DNA sequence: AATGAATGAGTTTTCATTCAT
DNA sequence: TATGAATGAAAACTCATTCAT
């Protein structure tokens, strides 16, 4: 399966992209395989030529997206900048993904993060937590961050905040103009970094 | 429907509680109506005597729990304590619910965001956001909180953080001993209130 | 599952009998589950209420029929008659089943050998062989039959002969009037018996 | 189709032989066209270049094998030996085929003899019956065999016996060492012959 | 109120066959 | 001749919901 002609790869992508749109529109469960096929403009059976099941499609979407995001996040760790700045960059990566491909994020947020499939993927999510955890830890070691908060909890809090904002966008409860995206990024970063309290 | 004998009410509860356990165990979609019935120790058909659909059961669980939590959160608003302290109390309410009924939280966390039903419930979730939003706003007005962050975004961030921690407990990725619950509460509150940065 | 109300049992039978007719008409593979249902005059889904799969239906037909035939054959063993006469009775039982329920035999004959399921049922076939084997063996011990032929081979030969005749009837290549059934019985018995009989 | 280069003919054979192995392994229905192709080491589509359908492959296997066996059996008729000896030779031909190509026999026994395809082939099977029938008939005419048994029934009984023994070997319920094959041949022949023979 | 058998529309998946290259 | 991607018509099975008792 590793070896695929460019034409094959292209068609596989087409199906995957169509699935993202279809899942985003109706939700994974409500979305029929036939809709993915017609959205992709291919025959019903071809979906099963490239994927073994509807489930595998969702899983693939998750895995491919996630590993992409992970690469970006782990690149931030390499940056020679203060922990606070690294933290900001991570937030930017996550929130900007929304603007780049809202459908994708919609699927990720709605279907993947809380689904039973995920039990299998936990490891991959774990890596994202790990990266942020290490950033916080280094910030603590360098004296930039207070050290009375477990890095793991800090990581959870940051990701939770980001996910909630994404969800709000997904649900249409919050504006997602460029300006608003900026504002959201600043809000998360400044709250987490500096807190709400006036100094 | 409004008039129910105590015996009826009791059986209804039994079905509802059974549903919470069953949904928690396998997820809403994977859980069959028959499993709810046998978990409750009642006949298959009886489930449909008390509820019009499987959907309605989830909705009921959601609504009843949520309104309970909402009442508790809104009570906090009445408290004549600083905004920071109100914020702490809200966190405590949410996180303590986990210890009281983990299955319930599991269902809420896992199913609510993806369910299309939820769109209808958004209003109720909205109220919870609203409460927290007002707390933040009052904190800003009283000069206790900085005012360069939109209250709505602050509310999102807090709930997101709490939800992520709950999810971690649900997924078994994070300890949930009493001590850990305390620690988590403190982490959320102190980060949100004071930020990570050393002052 | 062992406990079934008479009404249930009756409906189960109805489905089973309908399946025999439907399988006989078109063959197991070509027969659709829907045809069984409508042949039985029940809803599609009810078939699955009583049986877990189309496969299980065939298996059940096979098992139930076979155990019935087995009981009859084993009863012959109890008879205090010469081995040659016991052998005749066994042939009569097998061949008369055709007259009683041709559809049933048609299904048995056509599907049994190819079904992979049957591997599991081999045990039951084995018992039938065993009975005939013991009859031959006792015939040899009593000096009625020659003893230079393995009882197991003799049993195979008898059943093979019977099955081929049944198949011929099924395929319509051989008349199956009462008279012809008699003639076939006599042919098998006299060929096999006189061949085995010590001169 | 009649004109085929040696190279083509060879590839056709390769597919046919692969099909025999594949059908023998999993049964005709459970065997996928792709398995035949990969077993033969050719591309999927090539199977359809040489055969119009999966069905035709089975049919071809049957026809080619059968005509070979038929030729051998009909050659026996020419032999100037007693009917009893001719009968023995026919049994030997059928049973020895097993040793030569068990997979082939497995397919013939499992798929062909009882399948719906066969209706079309009945004529060819008929010829085999015919040959044995004539042998018996001549034996009766020459006074070697008793004449109170219809030759057709005798032929059915012989083939049935042989087929059952083959099936037992296929199912692994009976040893098929060379010695056992000899023994089986002798058992069939002596039971059938001595039974038929005038005393 | 309580039971669980009955219903059947809806879905995924399979796979023989075709066809463009 | 050779390849294997593309097609889409089937078919088994599921399961929420209904309903007779």
């Amino acid at each position: 399966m590793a070896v695929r002609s460019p034409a094959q790869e292209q068609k596989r992508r087409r199906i995957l992209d169509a699935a993202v749109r279809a899942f985003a529109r109706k939700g994974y469960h409500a979305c029929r395989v036939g809709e993915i096929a017609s959205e992709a403009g291919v025959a019903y059976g071809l979906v099963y030529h490239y994927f073994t099941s509807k489930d595998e499609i969702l899983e693939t979407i998750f895995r491919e997206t996630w590993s992409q995001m992970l690469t970006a996040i782990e690149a931030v760790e390499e940056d020679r900048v203060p922990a606070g700045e690294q933290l900001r960059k991570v937030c930017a990566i996550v929130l900007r993904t929304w603007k780049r491909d809202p459908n994708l994020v919609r699927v990720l947020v709605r279907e993947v993060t809380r689904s039973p499939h995920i039990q299998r993927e936990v490891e991959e999510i774990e890596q994202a937590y790990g990266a942020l955890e290490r950033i916080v830890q280094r910030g603590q070691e360098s004296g930039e961050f207070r050290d009375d908060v477990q890095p793991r909890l800090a990581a959870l809090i940051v990701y939770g905040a980001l996910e909630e904002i994404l969800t709000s966008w997904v649900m249409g409860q919050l504006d997602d103009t460029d300006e608003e995206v900026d504002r959201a990024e600043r809000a998360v970063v400044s709250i987490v970094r500096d807190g709400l309290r006036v100094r």
Side-chain angles (χ1 to χ4, degrees), chain A residues 20-25 98 100-108:
Chain A
V20 167
R21 290 194 298 279
F23 289 163
R25 203 186 312 124
W98 165 257
R100 202 181 326 123
D101 195 341
N103 283 328
L104 187 60
V105 175
R106 184 168 306 187
V107 173
L108 252 49

Side-chain angles (χ1 to χ4, degrees), chain A residues 18-19 22 25-27 30-41 44 47:
Chain A
R25 203 186 312 124
K26 316 193 60 176
C31 169
R32 305 300 146 217
V33 175
E35 296 180 62
I36 299 174
S38 59
E39 177 80 34
Y44 199 126
V47 174

Side-chain angles (χ1 to χ4, degrees), chain A residues 12-196:
Chain A
R12 200 187 105 100
R13 261 261 77 77
R14 209 160 102 201
I15 292 169
L16 229 31
D17 291 346
V20 167
R21 290 194 298 279
F23 289 163
R25 203 186 312 124
K26 316 193 60 176
Y28 175 78
H29 267 102
C31 169
R32 305 300 146 217
V33 175
E35 296 180 62
I36 299 174
S38 59
E39 177 80 34
V42 300
Y44 199 126
L46 200 62
V47 174
Y48 284 91
H49 189 79
Y50 286 97
F51 302 93
T52 44
S53 67
K54 191 182 153 188
D55 236 67
E56 203 212 19
I57 298 177
L58 182 58
E59 214 170 292
T60 304
I61 291 171
F62 168 76
R63 197 173 26 249
E64 297 197 355
T65 312
W66 204 257
S67 73
Q68 229 176 298
M69 205 179 270
L70 208 55
T71 306
I73 290 174
E74 285 175 342
V76 171
E77 282 193 84
E78 309 300 311
D79 277 7
R80 294 262 150 256
V81 290
E85 175 59 10
Q86 286 184 328
L87 198 144
R88 191 198 59 75
K89 284 185 168 179
V90 169
C91 292
I93 287 168
V94 173
L95 296 180
R96 301 297 153 164
T97 305
W98 165 257
K99 286 269 77 166
R100 202 181 326 123
D101 195 341
N103 283 328
L104 187 60
V105 175
R106 184 168 306 187
V107 173
L108 252 49
V109 164
R110 275 210 310 216
E111 312 299 343
V112 175
T113 323
R114 297 147 213 275
S115 92
H117 315 281
I118 282 318
Q119 252 98 357
R120 282 171 264 144
E121 322 291 5
V122 160
E123 202 181 330
E124 265 148 320
I125 298 185
E126 179 54 37
Q127 288 186 273
Y129 283 139
L132 199 47
E133 210 178 323
R134 286 190 298 276
I135 290 175
V136 172
Q137 196 163 19
R138 276 191 224 111
Q140 293 179 331
E141 283 160 10
S142 72
E144 184 182 350
F145 288 158
R146 53 200 278 192
D147 61 3
D148 61 345
V149 169
Q150 288 184 305
R152 154 62 35 138
L153 279 171
L156 282 173
I157 289 165
V158 172
Y159 279 125
L162 295 174
E163 200 184 306
E164 196 74 15
I165 290 166
L166 290 174
T167 302
S168 256
W169 286 335
V170 166
M171 298 297 184
Q173 299 166 277
L174 197 64
D175 278 353
D176 70 338
T177 57
D178 282 354
E179 198 185 351
E180 286 298 317
V181 174
D182 281 347
R183 202 200 297 271
E185 183 193 319
R186 261 179 285 124
V188 177
V189 174
S190 59
I191 286 182
V192 172
R193 230 166 27 180
D194 305 327
L196 280 171

